[in-house]
Amino acid sequence: MNELSVPERRDLAAKALMQAVRRHLEPEGATRSALSKVGAELEKLATEHAELFSTASFPAPGPQDAGGGVRYFIYTDPQTDFSLYLNAIDPGKSTPPHNHMTWAAIVAIEGEELNRIYRRLDDGADSAHSKLELEREYTVRRGAGIQFLPEDIHSIHIQGEAGTRHFHLYGKPLEVLENRLGFNLKTGEVTRFNLKNLPPAKLAVDTTT
């Protein structure tokens, strides 16, 4: 029997992850408790299958990658639309505060990512403006992931001298989430986050299909 290729093994690992995620979410939906279990499954992928997600397959951002980051598409579960990506971001880069409009789980393969988590103080009646308050900070690193509900607001900041390679798992493909919101802390302006901050995803360089 021929040995499976790296893309084939990666595909099987992603499918196994999605099966486990479905088991955790089907009984109660995307609660914080259930998402904690989802995060643990994603952590297993980062720990037990790290060789399938090497920099050879998922290179760091190059000069052609605007914003110093690149998002790689890995897999979408055909039963649920749960979608897995690998984000590679250069040091010194950050995002504005934003939500996801679906649940999310983030786990580090390598590198540290400071997350600033915000509380929205206004009632959302004015769709064009908001007022946020910093609630807490949390650093995503190996063994310490984070999960978000659809309306949770956070920003990410890559500090230090090393970049990051992190898994991002979402309840839906990011590309269809046109109503995601971005927040300007200085002006209070609310914008459509995807329009300004979501370049097209890439595939792993070893992907042949």
Side-chain angles (χ1 to χ4, degrees):
M1 181 185 300
N2 294 330
E3 184 177 352
L4 294 177
S5 68
V6 167
E8 290 170 332
R9 291 165 58 204
R10 189 164 57 233
D11 190 63
L12 288 175
K15 290 178 179 177
L17 168 70
M18 297 303 181
Q19 290 176 353
V21 172
R22 290 199 301 269
R23 286 199 306 270
H24 293 308
L25 295 185
E26 284 172 357
E28 59 185 284
T31 63
R32 293 203 188 275
S33 174
L35 288 178
S36 177
K37 298 173 185 176
V38 169
E41 297 291 350
L42 193 56
E43 194 71 55
K44 288 182 184 178
L45 184 67
T47 302
E48 299 175 5
H49 299 286
E51 77 283 357
L52 304 179
F53 301 94
S54 67
T55 54
S57 297
F58 299 91
Q64 74 281 3
D65 296 307
V70 58
R71 184 178 78 264
Y72 292 99
F73 170 76
I74 298 174
Y75 186 77
T76 291
D77 179 29
Q79 295 188 39
T80 61
D81 279 345
F82 300 163
S83 296
L84 179 64
Y85 302 85
L86 187 154
N87 282 6
I89 306 177
D90 284 339
K93 303 303 178 180
S94 63
T95 69
H98 60 275
N99 65 16
H100 298 108
M101 302 303 287
T102 187
W103 61 262
I106 301 172
V107 159
I109 305 171
E110 60 185 42
E112 296 188 355
E113 172 190 284
L114 174 66
N115 278 250
R116 294 189 174 123
I117 297 108
Y118 299 88
R119 179 189 301 110
R120 187 165 183 174
L121 301 180
D122 62 290
D123 61 6
D126 183 350
S127 62
H129 293 87
S130 68
K131 185 175 182 180
L132 303 184
E133 177 181 78
L134 180 64
E135 183 176 274
R136 62 188 177 99
E137 294 186 344
Y138 181 87
T139 298
V140 174
R141 54 169 63 93
R142 284 296 297 270
I146 195 169
Q147 305 88 44
F148 295 104
L149 295 177
E151 301 295 336
D152 289 344
I153 301 169
H154 79 133
S155 61
I156 64 173
H157 310 268
I158 313 304
Q159 300 178 326
E161 299 181 357
T164 61
R165 293 192 311 121
H166 289 185
F167 285 133
H168 286 232
L169 176 63
Y170 300 99
K172 296 179 181 179
L174 282 182
E175 292 77 8
V176 306
L177 300 175
E178 296 180 354
N179 292 325
R180 292 174 72 199
L181 300 179
F183 302 87
N184 187 312
L185 291 175
K186 293 183 179 180
T187 67
E189 181 185 12
V190 179
T191 60
R192 298 299 181 188
F193 184 81
N194 278 14
L195 293 178
K196 293 184 177 181
N197 300 280
L198 195 71
K202 295 184 176 183
L203 296 176
V205 298
D206 58 19
T207 300
T208 58
T209 57

